[in-house]
Amino acid sequence: MTAAKRVTLGIDLGAGSLKATLVDETGTTLAEAADPIVTNSPQPGWSEQDPADWWAALCSAVPRVLEQAAIDAGQIAAVGLSGGAHIAVLEDAAGQVLRPAILWNDQRSAEEAAELHARAGDLIIEKGLNRANPTWTLCQLAWLQKHEPEVIARTARLYISKDWLRSRLTGDWTSDYSDALGALMSDVGSRGWSEEICGLIGWPVESLPPLRQPWEVAGTVQAEAAAATGLKPGTPVVVGSNDTTVELYGAGAIAPGQGAIKLATAGVVFLTTANPEVHPPVSCYPHIMPERWYMASGINACATAHRWVRDTFFSELPKEDAFAEMDRMAAGVAPGSDGLIFHPYLMGERAPHWDPKLRGDFIGLTLGHGRAHFARACYEGIAFALNDVLLAAKALSGATFADMRLLGGGARSANWRQIIADVTGLTVKVPDNGDASFGAALVAAVGAGIFATPEEAVAACVRIAEENVPDPGRHAVYSRLFTLYDEARQGLTPVSHRLHDGD
């Protein structure tokens, strides 16, 4: 391979935007471009997107990233894609999309999920490693069979989100095991589709794509797609994987015990493991690294709670200035916020309590507290909630944590990073690059032969930009406060339920 062909393009379809990133063989980001994606909610609890919007965003972002990097499309050695798990696109025999794609956070299939778990929960967990709930494609398809049978009758092919986008580039029809598992329709024994699970809803296995490794070349950019995107015809495109899988990989958390915390709209905790760790409702997925797996679970309100505190207590400032002032003021308050404790349950809570009726609160308020205390208590409360997930993972699986990679917009705050390190007692590392589009580009680099193995790509390209080591004294303070945080959560749970129910 010539030196001019040692650049790869990673494309990630996120919940709110599509991002394209060009990366060279050293892991240096050459350029980035993103376009927003609109989510529609036709009914309460529903969440859908039009796949045509995904393709339009790709056709907008890719030419811009090429222009920003000032490189010719012929220099791209390969393209890698990632996208949200559990998001199915249904096509008819003529290749027409039959309906909008149902997203992972859609709740319409709760009844079908409960029925599937009651009827065959043990089988689904044994083969699919996860419990049926409305997040998973299996349950969404069961809902469609009941409510939109005409769509199901016309379905000839099922794609997962990143696979449908890739098919617009190459014309191929394939997927990877991580996305098959994310559909909750796979078999851990064969690492293929499960006829038994599909049979629970009468789903024809022949409508499901063949499975290949994420770094395998699925096809090449076709002439029509090249004209629409600015890519060169014949450019290899690898299979790719779902966004959380490539994100964890791109952060360099590839050895057992290495994990990541993502400070995004929701807060997510990941842990790389040597073997499948099956502890529903905690999710279990295959890693990009062969013979590796990872656990994933999270809290409902992370950046959401952060934004709420900003908008509530710092509303007189422009939004970006408000974040900076909130961070500055929080840094000036001693650990523990002078006894002010925040439970960030503004949207109920997922892990580890799985209680949609929990309410957020500030407790311990005195006349001595000002908005600087509320700012720091916000950071600390979210850190306590994430620590709650970590402790539950340890209790469930006996897992040990070596270090945590910190991802997402919140990782830019040195103050927040240190609070997370001090609360958890773990060293927190911030990768120089660490989002899903970067991870997708690394997977593409393996497929292009720039690197011989996924491990080699991480060794060459992943660098740690910042590191926060826990302070023993502050960790001791936070350990005592976490006990109060948890006791208060237990004591206030009945009150939360009564408030939710209108009692």
Side-chain angles (χ1 to χ4, degrees), residues 68-88:
Q68 289 173 27
I71 69 168
D72 182 87
Q75 294 179 250
I76 298 175
V79 179
L81 290 95
S82 63
H86 328 294
I87 303 172

PDB file of all heavy atoms in Angstrom, residues 68-88:
ATOM      1  N   GLN A  68     -12.452  19.843   3.862  1.00  0.00           N
ATOM      2  CA  GLN A  68     -11.727  20.364   5.018  1.00  0.00           C
ATOM      3  C   GLN A  68     -10.332  19.773   5.123  1.00  0.00           C
ATOM      4  O   GLN A  68      -9.378  20.457   5.499  1.00  0.00           O
ATOM      5  CB  GLN A  68     -12.514  20.072   6.299  1.00  0.00           C
ATOM      6  CG  GLN A  68     -13.790  20.888   6.451  1.00  0.00           C
ATOM      7  CD  GLN A  68     -14.615  20.444   7.643  1.00  0.00           C
ATOM      8  OE1 GLN A  68     -14.074  19.922   8.606  1.00  0.00           O
ATOM      9  NE2 GLN A  68     -15.926  20.635   7.562  1.00  0.00           N
ATOM     10  N   ALA A  69     -10.210  18.491   4.810  1.00  0.00           N
ATOM     11  CA  ALA A  69      -8.896  17.837   4.898  1.00  0.00           C
ATOM     12  C   ALA A  69      -8.017  18.162   3.703  1.00  0.00           C
ATOM     13  O   ALA A  69      -6.806  17.908   3.731  1.00  0.00           O
ATOM     14  CB  ALA A  69      -9.079  16.320   5.001  1.00  0.00           C
ATOM     15  N   ALA A  70      -8.623  18.713   2.654  1.00  0.00           N
ATOM     16  CA  ALA A  70      -7.895  19.059   1.420  1.00  0.00           C
ATOM     17  C   ALA A  70      -7.169  17.857   0.853  1.00  0.00           C
ATOM     18  O   ALA A  70      -5.998  17.927   0.477  1.00  0.00           O
ATOM     19  CB  ALA A  70      -6.918  20.210   1.678  1.00  0.00           C
ATOM     20  N   ILE A  71      -7.890  16.730   0.814  1.00  0.00           N
ATOM     21  CA  ILE A  71      -7.303  15.533   0.205  1.00  0.00           C
ATOM     22  C   ILE A  71      -8.211  15.053  -0.913  1.00  0.00           C
ATOM     23  O   ILE A  71      -9.415  15.324  -0.941  1.00  0.00           O
ATOM     24  CB  ILE A  71      -7.074  14.398   1.214  1.00  0.00           C
ATOM     25  CG1 ILE A  71      -8.413  13.821   1.696  1.00  0.00           C
ATOM     26  CG2 ILE A  71      -6.226  14.854   2.389  1.00  0.00           C
ATOM     27  CD1 ILE A  71      -8.250  12.522   2.469  1.00  0.00           C
ATOM     28  N   ASP A  72      -7.623  14.318  -1.836  1.00  0.00           N
ATOM     29  CA  ASP A  72      -8.382  13.709  -2.911  1.00  0.00           C
ATOM     30  C   ASP A  72      -9.023  12.420  -2.392  1.00  0.00           C
ATOM     31  O   ASP A  72      -8.419  11.697  -1.590  1.00  0.00           O
ATOM     32  CB  ASP A  72      -7.448  13.391  -4.082  1.00  0.00           C
ATOM     33  CG  ASP A  72      -8.206  12.798  -5.254  1.00  0.00           C
ATOM     34  OD1 ASP A  72      -8.718  13.567  -6.080  1.00  0.00           O
ATOM     35  OD2 ASP A  72      -8.278  11.554  -5.330  1.00  0.00           O
ATOM     36  N   ALA A  73     -10.244  12.148  -2.821  1.00  0.00           N
ATOM     37  CA  ALA A  73     -10.950  10.950  -2.356  1.00  0.00           C
ATOM     38  C   ALA A  73     -10.172   9.677  -2.677  1.00  0.00           C
ATOM     39  O   ALA A  73     -10.330   8.648  -2.004  1.00  0.00           O
ATOM     40  CB  ALA A  73     -12.335  10.888  -2.982  1.00  0.00           C
ATOM     41  N   GLY A  74      -9.317   9.723  -3.688  1.00  0.00           N
ATOM     42  CA  GLY A  74      -8.509   8.557  -4.042  1.00  0.00           C
ATOM     43  C   GLY A  74      -7.487   8.177  -2.989  1.00  0.00           C
ATOM     44  O   GLY A  74      -6.921   7.084  -3.031  1.00  0.00           O
ATOM     45  N   GLN A  75      -7.225   9.082  -2.037  1.00  0.00           N
ATOM     46  CA  GLN A  75      -6.286   8.767  -0.954  1.00  0.00           C
ATOM     47  C   GLN A  75      -6.910   7.905   0.145  1.00  0.00           C
ATOM     48  O   GLN A  75      -6.203   7.430   1.024  1.00  0.00           O
ATOM     49  CB  GLN A  75      -5.760  10.060  -0.334  1.00  0.00           C
ATOM     50  CG  GLN A  75      -4.890  10.898  -1.263  1.00  0.00           C
ATOM     51  CD  GLN A  75      -4.427  12.173  -0.579  1.00  0.00           C
ATOM     52  OE1 GLN A  75      -4.859  13.276  -0.910  1.00  0.00           O
ATOM     53  NE2 GLN A  75      -3.545  12.035   0.387  1.00  0.00           N
ATOM     54  N   ILE A  76      -8.228   7.737   0.114  1.00  0.00           N
ATOM     55  CA  ILE A  76      -8.891   6.961   1.159  1.00  0.00           C
ATOM     56  C   ILE A  76      -8.731   5.477   0.884  1.00  0.00           C
ATOM     57  O   ILE A  76      -9.179   4.960  -0.151  1.00  0.00           O
ATOM     58  CB  ILE A  76     -10.377   7.340   1.257  1.00  0.00           C
ATOM     59  CG1 ILE A  76     -10.520   8.813   1.651  1.00  0.00           C
ATOM     60  CG2 ILE A  76     -11.100   6.448   2.256  1.00  0.00           C
ATOM     61  CD1 ILE A  76     -11.948   9.310   1.653  1.00  0.00           C
ATOM     62  N   ALA A  77      -8.108   4.770   1.821  1.00  0.00           N
ATOM     63  CA  ALA A  77      -7.841   3.341   1.651  1.00  0.00           C
ATOM     64  C   ALA A  77      -9.077   2.497   1.909  1.00  0.00           C
ATOM     65  O   ALA A  77      -9.241   1.430   1.306  1.00  0.00           O
ATOM     66  CB  ALA A  77      -6.707   2.911   2.583  1.00  0.00           C
ATOM     67  N   ALA A  78      -9.933   2.951   2.822  1.00  0.00           N
ATOM     68  CA  ALA A  78     -11.149   2.197   3.131  1.00  0.00           C
ATOM     69  C   ALA A  78     -12.087   3.071   3.948  1.00  0.00           C
ATOM     70  O   ALA A  78     -11.672   4.044   4.582  1.00  0.00           O
ATOM     71  CB  ALA A  78     -10.823   0.911   3.892  1.00  0.00           C
ATOM     72  N   VAL A  79     -13.347   2.676   3.951  1.00  0.00           N
ATOM     73  CA  VAL A  79     -14.400   3.370   4.710  1.00  0.00           C
ATOM     74  C   VAL A  79     -14.971   2.388   5.717  1.00  0.00           C
ATOM     75  O   VAL A  79     -15.180   1.203   5.411  1.00  0.00           O
ATOM     76  CB  VAL A  79     -15.519   3.870   3.782  1.00  0.00           C
ATOM     77  CG1 VAL A  79     -16.624   4.564   4.579  1.00  0.00           C
ATOM     78  CG2 VAL A  79     -14.956   4.794   2.706  1.00  0.00           C
ATOM     79  N   GLY A  80     -15.215   2.877   6.951  1.00  0.00           N
ATOM     80  CA  GLY A  80     -15.872   2.070   7.972  1.00  0.00           C
ATOM     81  C   GLY A  80     -17.093   2.801   8.493  1.00  0.00           C
ATOM     82  O   GLY A  80     -17.069   4.029   8.626  1.00  0.00           O
ATOM     83  N   LEU A  81     -18.154   2.062   8.780  1.00  0.00           N
ATOM     84  CA  LEU A  81     -19.379   2.670   9.290  1.00  0.00           C
ATOM     85  C   LEU A  81     -19.776   2.059  10.619  1.00  0.00           C
ATOM     86  O   LEU A  81     -19.512   0.883  10.889  1.00  0.00           O
ATOM     87  CB  LEU A  81     -20.540   2.498   8.305  1.00  0.00           C
ATOM     88  CG  LEU A  81     -20.458   3.310   7.012  1.00  0.00           C
ATOM     89  CD1 LEU A  81     -19.859   2.475   5.904  1.00  0.00           C
ATOM     90  CD2 LEU A  81     -21.838   3.803   6.594  1.00  0.00           C
ATOM     91  N   SER A  82     -20.422   2.883  11.448  1.00  0.00           N
ATOM     92  CA  SER A  82     -21.045   2.407  12.670  1.00  0.00           C
ATOM     93  C   SER A  82     -22.387   3.109  12.805  1.00  0.00           C
ATOM     94  O   SER A  82     -22.635   4.130  12.166  1.00  0.00           O
ATOM     95  CB  SER A  82     -20.167   2.686  13.894  1.00  0.00           C
ATOM     96  OG  SER A  82     -19.990   4.084  14.095  1.00  0.00           O
ATOM     97  N   GLY A  83     -23.245   2.532  13.635  1.00  0.00           N
ATOM     98  CA  GLY A  83     -24.553   3.134  13.841  1.00  0.00           C
ATOM     99  C   GLY A  83     -25.189   2.569  15.087  1.00  0.00           C
ATOM    100  O   GLY A  83     -24.682   1.609  15.684  1.00  0.00           O
ATOM    101  N   GLY A  84     -26.291   3.135  15.486  1.00  0.00           N
ATOM    102  CA  GLY A  84     -26.980   2.674  16.672  1.00  0.00           C
ATOM    103  C   GLY A  84     -27.419   1.231  16.541  1.00  0.00           C
ATOM    104  O   GLY A  84     -27.898   0.798  15.491  1.00  0.00           O
ATOM    105  N   ALA A  85     -27.247   0.478  17.634  1.00  0.00           N
ATOM    106  CA  ALA A  85     -27.706  -0.912  17.649  1.00  0.00           C
ATOM    107  C   ALA A  85     -29.221  -0.953  17.725  1.00  0.00           C
ATOM    108  O   ALA A  85     -29.874   0.039  18.062  1.00  0.00           O
ATOM    109  CB  ALA A  85     -27.094  -1.635  18.840  1.00  0.00           C
ATOM    110  N   HIS A  86     -29.787  -2.107  17.395  1.00  0.00           N
ATOM    111  CA  HIS A  86     -31.223  -2.410  17.549  1.00  0.00           C
ATOM    112  C   HIS A  86     -32.109  -1.670  16.555  1.00  0.00           C
ATOM    113  O   HIS A  86     -33.329  -1.777  16.638  1.00  0.00           O
ATOM    114  CB  HIS A  86     -31.745  -2.081  18.957  1.00  0.00           C
ATOM    115  CG  HIS A  86     -30.781  -2.250  20.074  1.00  0.00           C
ATOM    116  ND1 HIS A  86     -30.277  -3.472  20.445  1.00  0.00           N
ATOM    117  CD2 HIS A  86     -30.224  -1.353  20.919  1.00  0.00           C
ATOM    118  CE1 HIS A  86     -29.452  -3.305  21.476  1.00  0.00           C
ATOM    119  NE2 HIS A  86     -29.402  -2.034  21.771  1.00  0.00           N
ATOM    120  N   ILE A  87     -31.541  -0.909  15.620  1.00  0.00           N
ATOM    121  CA  ILE A  87     -32.347  -0.076  14.721  1.00  0.00           C
ATOM    122  C   ILE A  87     -32.477  -0.782  13.374  1.00  0.00           C
ATOM    123  O   ILE A  87     -31.520  -0.832  12.590  1.00  0.00           O
ATOM    124  CB  ILE A  87     -31.711   1.318  14.551  1.00  0.00           C
ATOM    125  CG1 ILE A  87     -31.529   1.996  15.914  1.00  0.00           C
ATOM    126  CG2 ILE A  87     -32.561   2.181  13.632  1.00  0.00           C
ATOM    127  CD1 ILE A  87     -30.741   3.291  15.857  1.00  0.00           C
ATOM    128  N   ALA A  88     -33.646  -1.332  13.106  1.00  0.00           N
ATOM    129  CA  ALA A  88     -33.852  -2.121  11.894  1.00  0.00           C
ATOM    130  C   ALA A  88     -34.476  -1.283  10.787  1.00  0.00           C
ATOM    131  O   ALA A  88     -35.326  -0.429  11.037  1.00  0.00           O
ATOM    132  CB  ALA A  88     -34.748  -3.321  12.193  1.00  0.00           C
TER     133      ALA A  88
END
